[in-house]
Amino acid sequence: MNALLRHRASRGFTLVEAILVIVIIGVVAGIVAVFIRAPVIGYTESAERASVSDEADLALRRMARDLRLALPNSVRVAADGSAIEFLLTSTGGRYLSVDDDVPGLPFLDFDNQDQRSFAVIGGTMRPIERGNYIVVYNLGDAIVPSDAYGFRSGGANTNIARVESVANPAGPTPIVTLESNAFAMQEVTMVSPNRRFQVVTTPVTYQCTRLRGGSLGLVRYWDYDISAAPLFPPQGSPRQAVIASRVDSCNNIFQYGTAATRASALVILNLSLRPRGGQGLVNLVHQVHVDNTP
């Protein structure tokens, strides 16, 4: 009798019992998955939207920082709002004028083309370097000779000249020598009422364009030649970097063409990025005030 009881006690599970347990576990797992799936998807989408928001915010802040350093009256926007171009400044200062009557220092001569050097009064925030551009009284809008986009090597009726050399660049009175004195070649002399100048380092373009992977992206171009007519993208071999990917649309990212925005010197940036999976859009709008006082 004892042997029979020990044999029955050691039989284990039957096939029916094993199948029943598997079915119950599957049902429980399915119920748990239903309740967990939605929070997991929600977390994933929230994390993706946060990442895209950070990307858009960083791109807008980068563009805003550059725009605040734009040469006065140098901002120009593509007709469809997909691109913007401006002349980036590094510093500015006051040039010595003939009326200052300081013996021993060269002044910016608006009459004598052979006088290519001038003294900077009070120094500058950042040193002027060879290859930079000196701009005086930029009014823009193709106003001759006060439009820096009219730069031509050798001068000829424009308000911008390239720096050939700088003596004592970090001192209180740097002496700047120009490749040519374009200011003495103006048909109508346009001096600065405050005797101020700006230093331009390079033109900069931000453009929405098709990337290699097929998606739309926002690209920054710099280190290319100044062109009288806006060219999007810039010609030649500019340096470039992608600052935002997964852009939803290139239309009206940049707005500056209306009378209201130009009068108030406001550049409106409207950037929409699409998260991975295409769920909704992240749209950020930023207004940048540009200094248009020459």
Side-chain angles (χ1 to χ4, degrees):
M1 178 64 68
N2 292 335
L4 179 60
L5 290 175
R6 285 196 299 271
H7 175 71
R8 289 180 177 178
S10 62
R11 287 186 308 167
F13 296 105
T14 65
L15 179 60
V16 174
E17 290 171 338
I19 292 174
L20 184 60
V21 170
I22 294 173
V23 170
I24 293 173
I25 292 175
V27 171
V28 173
I31 294 173
V32 172
V34 168
F35 286 99
I36 292 180
R37 181 176 181 273
V40 170
I41 292 176
Y43 171 79
T44 303
E45 291 180 351
S46 297
E48 175 63 17
R49 290 180 66 85
S51 175
V52 173
S53 297
D54 289 343
E55 183 179 356
D57 182 66
L58 184 61
L60 290 175
R61 289 179 183 273
R62 175 64 183 273
M63 290 187 289
R65 185 188 68 180
D66 277 355
L67 280 166
R68 292 190 182 99
L69 295 174
L71 177 72
N73 304 301
S74 71
V75 177
R76 53 189 186 183
V77 175
D80 60 357
S82 65
I84 188 170
E85 184 181 28
F86 50 90
L87 300 177
L88 188 67
T89 64
S90 61
T91 188
R94 183 177 180 272
Y95 60 82
L96 185 67
S97 168
V98 62
D99 297 329
D100 292 323
D101 194 21
V102 178
L105 290 177
F107 57 87
L108 185 57
D109 201 324
F110 284 81
D111 296 316
N112 182 8
Q113 298 181 21
D114 296 330
Q115 176 59 40
R116 298 187 293 118
S117 299
F118 69 93
V120 178
I121 305 301
T124 57
M125 293 183 63
R126 294 184 59 182
I128 304 172
E129 299 179 357
R130 183 177 184 273
N132 290 165
Y133 302 88
I134 301 296
V135 181
V136 175
Y137 205 58
N138 192 65
L139 300 177
D141 290 328
I143 298 175
V144 179
S146 294
D147 184 7
Y149 282 113
F151 171 78
R152 291 175 294 277
S153 180
N157 208 25
T158 186
N159 66 335
I160 179 173
R162 188 151 39 202
V163 175
E164 181 178 277
S165 63
V166 183
N168 193 27
T173 311
I175 305 297
V176 178
T177 300
L178 307 173
E179 291 181 354
S180 62
N181 186 355
F183 311 104
M185 303 180 196
Q186 297 175 345
E187 293 180 3
V188 178
T189 303
M190 297 292 287
V191 300
S192 168
N194 298 318
R195 298 166 187 170
R196 291 190 53 81
F197 67 89
Q198 280 89 24
V199 179
V200 169
T201 56
T202 176
V204 171
T205 292
Y206 285 95
Q207 182 177 11
C208 177
T209 185
R210 187 74 60 181
L211 303 178
R212 289 184 179 180
S215 63
L216 296 175
L218 196 60
V219 181
R220 181 183 190 265
Y221 300 90
W222 72 101
D223 277 357
Y224 58 90
D225 293 334
I226 297 174
S227 172
L231 301 173
F232 304 117
Q235 301 301 300
S237 301
R239 299 174 66 185
Q240 56 184 282
V242 178
I243 66 166
S245 57
R246 293 174 288 167
V247 177
D248 179 64
S249 173
C250 290
N251 293 330
N252 296 319
I253 294 179
F254 308 100
Q255 299 177 37
Y256 187 63
T258 66
T261 55
R262 292 182 70 87
S264 57
L266 274 181
V267 177
I268 301 175
L269 309 176
N270 189 342
L271 185 60
S272 295
L273 302 186
R274 185 175 295 278
R276 292 183 180 90
Q279 298 296 325
L281 290 176
V282 174
N283 180 259
L284 296 183
V285 179
H286 193 59
Q287 294 182 345
V288 184
H289 180 268
V290 292
D291 184 7
N292 280 338
T293 304

